[in-house]
Amino acid sequence: GFTGFAVNGKHVYPDNAPDADYYWFVVLDLKDLSVVANAVTENASEVPSSIVPYAGKQGYFLVCLSDRTHAYRAPTGALAKFLFQVGAGRELRCLEQMIEQLGTGTVVRFSYCLAATTDDGDLPGMEAMSVNGMSYLNIVFMPIYDSNNDFMGYAPGQLS
């Protein structure tokens, strides 16, 4: 399972996580990078109820992680739709295609990361996927200032 990650120097851990085969969702407020929602689900077809209100909402950043999840538990239904809505793209489509064409006997487990703003009209999200082990995604949050040099919040970006 996951050990957690750090945001703005603060560690974030999954709430009530089972040993394996789950999706972990964290929503950050882009004004101060505080965690406003933290949820774990074993359901590969539904979005956790505490995450749903942020869909399409401006000013928030979603991180969705799944590590060494069984391929038969790849996102489907409302969960897949939600992930594509907030910014999933090439990596999730590639995972779906690999599982469909090769089957869960060949693609046994996968790791997937999505990091994206929750605003519907925003840029595509940042993704990483692996069927061979862990996937990594390095993200930076840059401070944004207005023309008066007043702090407005943070903008996410991906380190290469």
Side-chain angles (χ1 to χ4, degrees):
F2 304 107
T3 57
F5 62 90
V7 177
N8 212 17
K10 297 175 185 161
H11 291 282
V12 181
Y13 301 97
D15 288 340
N16 303 318
D19 291 336
D21 278 349
Y22 62 91
Y23 291 90
W24 178 25
F25 297 84
V26 176
V27 178
L28 305 172
D29 187 325
L30 286 172
K31 290 178 191 151
D32 59 9
L33 298 180
S34 61
V35 175
V36 295
N38 183 347
V40 171
T41 184
E42 294 178 88
N43 188 333
S45 63
E46 294 296 327
V47 182
S49 60
S50 63
I51 304 300
V52 172
Y54 297 97
K57 204 168 186 182
Q58 191 173 16
Y60 295 94
F61 190 78
L62 171 78
V63 178
C64 174
L65 305 167
S66 183
D67 184 34
R68 296 182 302 253
T69 301
H70 282 97
Y72 60 84
R73 296 185 71 140
T76 62
L79 178 56
K81 182 179 178 182
F82 172 78
L83 294 175
F84 284 118
Q85 176 186 346
V86 297
R90 182 186 181 283
E91 296 297 321
L92 187 53
R93 284 192 307 273
C94 182
L95 176 65
E96 289 176 335
Q97 184 178 13
M98 289 174 74
I99 292 170
E100 184 178 321
Q101 292 179 354
L102 300 173
T104 57
T106 302
V107 179
V108 179
R109 291 184 180 265
F110 68 92
S111 295
Y112 176 73
C113 303
L114 169 65
T117 61
T118 55
D119 186 1
D120 286 343
D122 209 348
L123 296 172
M126 299 166 269
E127 297 176 286
M129 185 272 297
S130 175
V131 294
N132 297 335
M134 294 171 52
S135 53
Y136 298 91
L137 195 56
N138 294 312
I139 303 164
V140 62
F141 292 95
M142 300 297 295
I144 303 170
Y145 297 91
D146 66 14
S147 60
N148 295 323
N149 208 27
D150 292 326
F151 177 74
M152 295 175 54
Y154 292 91
Q158 186 169 4
L159 295 174
S160 53

